[in-house]
Amino acid sequence: MKKFVINQIQHFSLHDGPGIRTTVFLQGCNLRCAWCHNPETWGVKPSVSYTDSKCILCGECARVCSEPVNCFEGQNHYFDFSKCTNCRKCLEVCCTGALEECGYECSVSELFEDLMNDSRLYEVSGGGVTFSGGEPLLQRESMEEICGLLHDKGVHIAVETALSMPWSAVMKLSEYIDLFLVDFKLFDKEKHKKHIGADNELILSNLMQLSEIGEISIRLPIIQNINSDKENAENTAEFLKHLEKRIQSVELLPYHNFGVEKAVHVGLKQNEFEIPSDKCLEELKAVYRRHGLKVV
Ligand code: SF4
Ligand code: SF4
């Protein structure tokens, strides 16, 4: 039986496609956006998260842990993520929630059953299921299986993806997917590599091929001084314009700093970026509209 590694399931979601949806956030990402708002989904395997403000220094975790992870000095508890083997013994004894699981395994059939519990909501609202992450296409085999099952039941399926995957993975899933929510970050190849950890050639090529067969909504995270310039918007809009028949909408998502604190809880460090001004967002929207794209 195939399994997923899930970060969390959000019921009654209103922002990830049409109608009322159940959004499944999957673990694992092959990109490293410097401003990622879900850095806790980067790891593909289940792990442990630690929240310092919830720790009451009881020392129970250190008692059951056989690795040199926990160090107590005065009123401080230092948690060394690099030494943790993810055995999860400490989760059973931490009564405050300072230590929590980050990601859990779930079989395709268990997830399918859970998702179908909301099927009436999907029907009455014109909603469905959205897979997000992380990069959902990394859990390709499980995705193919569950999307096939949901498709057979007539459930609308959306996938939020960066499309930085071999075309074969995208094409196979496109048989079942009603809407691709494509996160597109930067048009310039070198800047893309610098801020995201990979260039965007594969993404652009996949977008062009996908636009021949699938429905697409583009999501553009806007980060001040990174991709908030008009040149990036002009180049992106010019590219999207030629895929226009399949681009349902372009959505501008201003940066927020939620990822900074979430990164700390899983042993990562994230710098804070500037939030774009309303004026900047209006100017960028105008660029996309001028190219005939529907901006939401
Ligand atoms: S998951 Fe295991 S190794 Fe990691 S801190 Fe907890 S008890 Fe120690
Ligand atoms: S068991 Fe939880 S509350 Fe107790 S010291 Fe460990 S992390 Fe802190």
Side-chain angles (χ1 to χ4, degrees):
M1 174 61 67
K2 294 191 181 66
K3 283 189 170 176
F4 278 107
V5 183
I6 293 174
N7 180 269
Q8 60 162 314
I9 299 176
Q10 219 169 65
H11 296 270
F12 312 109
S13 167
L14 296 171
H15 306 288
D16 297 313
I20 299 174
R21 312 191 67 82
T22 304
T23 302
V24 184
F25 292 87
L26 296 176
Q27 284 293 142
C29 189
N30 55 348
L31 298 179
R32 290 292 179 267
C33 303
W35 51 83
C36 179
H37 61 283
N38 288 334
E40 73 280 16
T41 64
W42 284 0
V44 78
K45 290 185 184 153
S47 62
V48 171
S49 74
Y50 170 67
T51 305
D52 196 47
S53 60
K54 292 185 186 171
C55 177
I56 55 169
L57 304 169
C58 68
E60 279 301 294
C61 50
R63 188 177 60 77
V64 297
C65 181
S66 49
E67 307 298 329
V69 176
N70 301 282
C71 174
F72 295 90
E73 277 177 17
Q75 291 302 299
N76 296 314
H77 175 191
Y78 299 102
F79 189 90
D80 186 344
F81 289 87
S82 70
K83 304 268 171 40
C84 173
T85 59
N86 290 326
C87 74
R88 300 160 94 79
K89 283 185 208 154
C90 57
L91 298 179
E92 290 161 24
V93 297
C94 180
C95 60
T96 66
L99 291 165
E100 289 180 305
E101 65 178 1
C102 179
Y104 61 95
E105 290 190 343
C106 176
S107 72
V108 168
S109 57
E110 284 168 330
L111 179 59
F112 178 64
E113 198 177 313
D114 186 4
L115 296 173
M116 289 309 291
N117 285 336
D118 290 343
S119 60
R120 184 79 188 113
L121 271 181
Y122 312 149
E123 279 167 37
V124 296
S125 70
V129 172
T130 299
F131 292 93
S132 183
E135 172 50 72
L137 271 55
L138 279 182
Q139 299 193 41
R140 177 178 169 177
E141 290 185 3
S142 303
M143 279 293 288
E144 285 170 10
E145 191 170 326
I146 201 153
C147 289
L149 292 169
L150 291 167
H151 182 76
D152 288 349
K153 293 283 181 191
V155 175
H156 182 279
I157 308 169
V159 170
E160 182 170 20
T161 171
L163 286 184
S164 187
M165 296 292 294
W167 171 244
S168 57
V170 183
M171 189 182 67
K172 178 80 179 126
L173 263 181
S174 68
E175 285 175 35
Y176 309 120
I177 306 299
D178 298 287
L179 178 63
F180 283 85
L181 303 166
V182 178
D183 292 321
F184 190 82
K185 299 127 204 303
L186 263 165
F187 194 80
D188 182 87
K189 193 166 81 174
E190 291 308 316
K191 282 190 187 165
H192 197 282
K193 202 168 189 170
K194 178 177 168 198
H195 295 293
I196 290 148
D199 73 40
N200 58 9
E201 275 179 29
L202 184 60
I203 295 169
L204 294 172
S205 156
N206 282 339
L207 247 179
M208 281 194 279
Q209 294 189 79
L210 186 61
S211 69
E212 299 293 320
I213 55 175
E215 296 302 316
I216 301 169
S217 184
I218 300 287
R219 292 186 146 183
L220 305 164
I222 306 296
I223 298 97
Q224 188 71 38
N225 301 325
I226 302 285
N227 62 359
S228 59
D229 53 294
K230 278 197 188 159
E231 185 186 351
N232 181 61
E234 290 284 354
N235 290 335
T236 306
E238 187 63 34
F239 174 79
L240 295 177
K241 186 166 82 176
H242 297 293
L243 319 177
E244 194 191 354
K245 67 179 169 156
R246 294 287 190 168
I247 305 283
Q248 290 190 354
S249 62
V250 174
E251 193 176 352
L252 273 62
L253 305 167
Y255 168 77
H256 59 69
N257 63 2
F258 300 163
V260 176
E261 196 181 335
K262 290 205 264 178
V264 174
H265 296 170
V266 290
L268 299 170
K269 180 168 169 17
Q270 190 180 92
N271 291 326
E272 188 158 349
F273 291 85
E274 264 184 62
I275 297 170
S277 65
D278 290 347
K279 180 170 174 278
C280 166
L281 290 169
E282 287 310 317
E283 285 172 0
L284 297 181
K285 281 184 199 172
V287 171
Y288 289 100
R289 289 197 178 112
R290 192 157 30 78
H291 284 79
L293 295 154
K294 180 182 165 194
V295 180
V296 294

